[in-house]
């Protein structure tokens, strides 16, 4: 009996021993975007045809293979593993799929698992003390005998900072941000590149990225310690709303040379490149709202220190000569985001749409230069006509107060105008039309056309035969109309053009109704311009790039000045989403859009 029990127990142990275990074990399931994670696929029996998962969302290095086979008290212990080191490409939640292995004709699979990748951390996880590509552990034992703190912290002595000049600006006041990479004198960086670039939401931005060939290594200090640094990029930001606004971090990937292995006979240390990352972390700017107290009625969002002028080319006109009137704002501030006031002239002076000019530079200290609108005035009648005084208001952040500059009234003296212009002006002013009599008297009729009363013979009449033959006469017309209808329906390209024309008119009408409501107005105006382009140029929405539009318009014989005006209106629609706009500016943009569309229709046919 004992013999049978012994055999049964032996068979049970063999059955337990024969169970196969194949599993995937990650070192961590939550990491930063600049950290690494180790994944080990281990099995209890030797197998073939190992197929790893795709590691979507990660850069994978490996595999490192390790085999352990031992006998203890007559019991065999076997273990085999494949190890991968994963570096995330972006933030998010990623699923590591199943790995497969074939053991004695049976395919085994690991269970999938998820890894959550969050924001970059200041101190990413250290390099593993063991080397997955060292199956016998020789290098690991050497590291244990001679610790290498530099390998444990490859980013020690490396600091990526975003230096913000003003962390409490007003809305539309410039903020200077300089990104610097500091490296201590005991750290060696062989190369680096941007891994994640910041996006400046809620800011108007001007960015200058320093070319690697022009970077200069400078000496400085970080936290009181000597260090070398390079400037990676510079940015000038104009906040478009008040509150606590966030600057997204800049993440840089670096190759750092660190000591590796034991020293040689002469005490020299071998070096190897280790990949690591550095981040600026999130920065916050507390933006102050512009004060309501003392805000002028004509204030349109200008912030800075400006000078305002209204200068006519001349004040006397002879023989209907046109007069140039320049409305100009110069100084330092958000010049590209402000709206210029529009002059009010008498009806006898016909005013055309202005030519907008910009001479603006954007250094780190903020925008400087000037913007101007040049109007053309054409007199239609003799006399003296005043141009009312104009005012321009802005907020000066240095004093915390609003300022207003008012121009002088300008008197235009029209000595004489051509007769044709004077006549046309007189008709326009009076609003009356000249009526000429074409028939003074009518002669008495000498013949009559009488018809008998009570006659009602429909059968055999002209109307009877007309109604009888009319259906037969309409058959060719119906066939012709039907063919034209089929051709019209099959003309896909033509239908697209007609549909886009209708949409352009529809959105242009909608924009006119939304005057005074900034966002709906500029959205409708931009849609009207887009549909007009798609109708005239026969292009799709994906082809609506600035360079492509300009090239196609010029190839269709559109005037260069008209194309520039069209581009300027498109830019106005885009800038108006971030900058405050007055009702006068919206009216001006609407009139400019109608004028440009009309000119393009005439020039392109």
């Amino acid at each position: 009996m004992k013999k049978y029990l012994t055999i049964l127990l032996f068979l049970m142990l063999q059955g337990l021993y024969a169970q196969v275990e194949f599993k995937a074990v990650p070192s961590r399931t939550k990491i930063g975007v600049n950290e690494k994670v180790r994944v080990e696929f281990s099995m209890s029996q030797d197998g073939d045809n190992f197929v790893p998962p795709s590691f979507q969302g990660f850069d994978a290095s490996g595999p490192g293979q390790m085999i352990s086979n031992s006998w203890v008290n007559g019991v065999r212990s076997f273990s085999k593993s494949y190890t991968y080191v994963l570096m995330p490409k972006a933030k998010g939640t990623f699923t590591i799929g199943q790995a497969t292995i074939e053991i004695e004709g049976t395919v085994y699979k690991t269970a999938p698992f998820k890894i959550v990748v969050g924001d970059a951390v200041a101190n990413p996880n250290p390099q593993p003390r063991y080397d997955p590509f060292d199956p016998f552990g020789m290098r690991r034992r050497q590291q244990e005998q001679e610790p290498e703190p530099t390998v444990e912290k490859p980013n020690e002595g490396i600091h990526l900072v975003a230096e913000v000049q003003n962390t409490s600006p007003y809305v539309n006041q410039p903020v200077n941000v300089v990104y610097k990479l500091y490296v201590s004198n005991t750290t060696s960086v062989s190369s680096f590149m941007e891994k994640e670039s910041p996006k400046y939401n809620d800011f108007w931005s001007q960015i200058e990225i320093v070319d690697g060939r022009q970077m200069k290594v400078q000496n400085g200090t970080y936290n009181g310690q000597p260090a070398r640094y390079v400037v990676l990029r510079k940015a000038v930001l104009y906040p478009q709303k008040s509150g606590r606004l966030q600057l997204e971090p800049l993440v840089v990937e670096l190759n750092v040379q660190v000591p590796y292995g034991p020293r040689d006979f002469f005490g020299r240390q071998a070096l190897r490149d280790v990949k690591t990352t550095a981040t600026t972390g999130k920065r916050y700017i507390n933006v102050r709202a512009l004060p309501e107290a003392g805000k002028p009625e004509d204030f349109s969002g200008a912030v800075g220190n400006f000078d305002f002028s209204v200068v006519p080319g001349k004040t006397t006109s002879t023989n209907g000569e046109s007069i140039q009137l320049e409305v100009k704002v110069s100084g330092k501030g958000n010049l590209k985001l402000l709206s210029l006031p529009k002059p009010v002239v008498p009806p006898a002076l016909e005013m055309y749409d202005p030519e907008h000019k910009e001479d603006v530079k954007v250094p780190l200290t903020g925008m400087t230069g000037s913007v101007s609108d040049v109007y053309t005035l054409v007199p239609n009648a003799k006399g003296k006509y005043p141009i009312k005084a104009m005012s321009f208001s802005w907020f000066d952040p240095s004093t915390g107060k609003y300022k207003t500059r008012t121009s002088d009234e300008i008197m235009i003296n029209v000595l004489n105008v051509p007769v044709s212009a004077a006549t046309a002006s007189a008709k326009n002013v009076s609003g009356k039309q000249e009526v000429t009599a074409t028939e003074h008297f009518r002669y008495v009729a000498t013949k009559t056309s009488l018809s008998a009363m009570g006659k009602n013979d429909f059968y055999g009449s002209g109307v009877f035969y007309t109604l009888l033959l009319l259906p037969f006469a309409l058959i060719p017309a119906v066939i012709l109309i039907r063919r034209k209808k089929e051709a019209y329906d099959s003309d896909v390209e033509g239908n697209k053009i007609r549909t886009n024309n209708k949409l352009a008119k529809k959105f242009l009408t909608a924009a006119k109704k939304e005057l005074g409501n900034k966002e709906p107005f500029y959205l409708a105006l931009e849609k009207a311009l887009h549909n007009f382009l798609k109708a005239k140029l026969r292009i799709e929405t994906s082809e609506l790039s600035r360079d492509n539009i300009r090239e196609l318009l010029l190839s269709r014989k559109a005037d260069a000045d008209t194309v520039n005006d069209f581009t300027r209106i498109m830019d106005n629609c885009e800038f108006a989403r971030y900058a405050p706009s007055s009702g006068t500016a919206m009216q001006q943009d609407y009139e400019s859009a109608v004028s440009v569309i009309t000119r393009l229709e005439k020039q392109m046919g």
Side-chain angles (χ1 to χ4, degrees), residues 298-330:
D298 62 345
F299 177 71
S300 60
V303 176
N305 190 9
F306 303 103
D307 188 19
F308 174 66
S309 64
V310 180
V311 180
K314 55 185 176 180
T315 56
T316 303
S317 173
T318 58
N319 296 323
E321 292 177 340
S322 62
I323 297 174
Q324 302 292 323
L325 183 67
E326 182 183 40
V327 180
K328 182 177 182 180
V329 172
S330 59

Side-chain angles (χ1 to χ4, degrees), residues 485-513:
K485 180 67 168 55
E486 292 176 352
Y488 182 89
D489 293 338
S490 62
D491 184 11
V492 178
E493 187 69 24
N495 287 336
K496 285 184 179 180
I497 295 173
R498 286 185 285 272
T499 301
N500 289 330
N501 270 325
K502 291 180 181 178
L503 289 174
K505 294 178 182 178
K506 173 185 175 182
F507 286 118
L508 202 59
T509 303
K512 187 175 182 180
K513 293 180 180 179

Side-chain angles (χ1 to χ4, degrees), residues 45 56 74 87 92 116 134 136 138 241 255 259 265 278 364 393 408 419 432 454 457 487 501 542 557 576:
Q45 290 188 24
Q56 184 177 2
M87 185 71 182
V116 180
D134 179 22
F136 299 104
M138 296 298 295
K241 67 178 185 180
N255 287 324
F265 181 78
L364 281 177
S393 300
D408 297 329
V419 177
K432 299 179 180 179
D457 294 331
N501 270 325
S542 59
K557 298 181 180 180

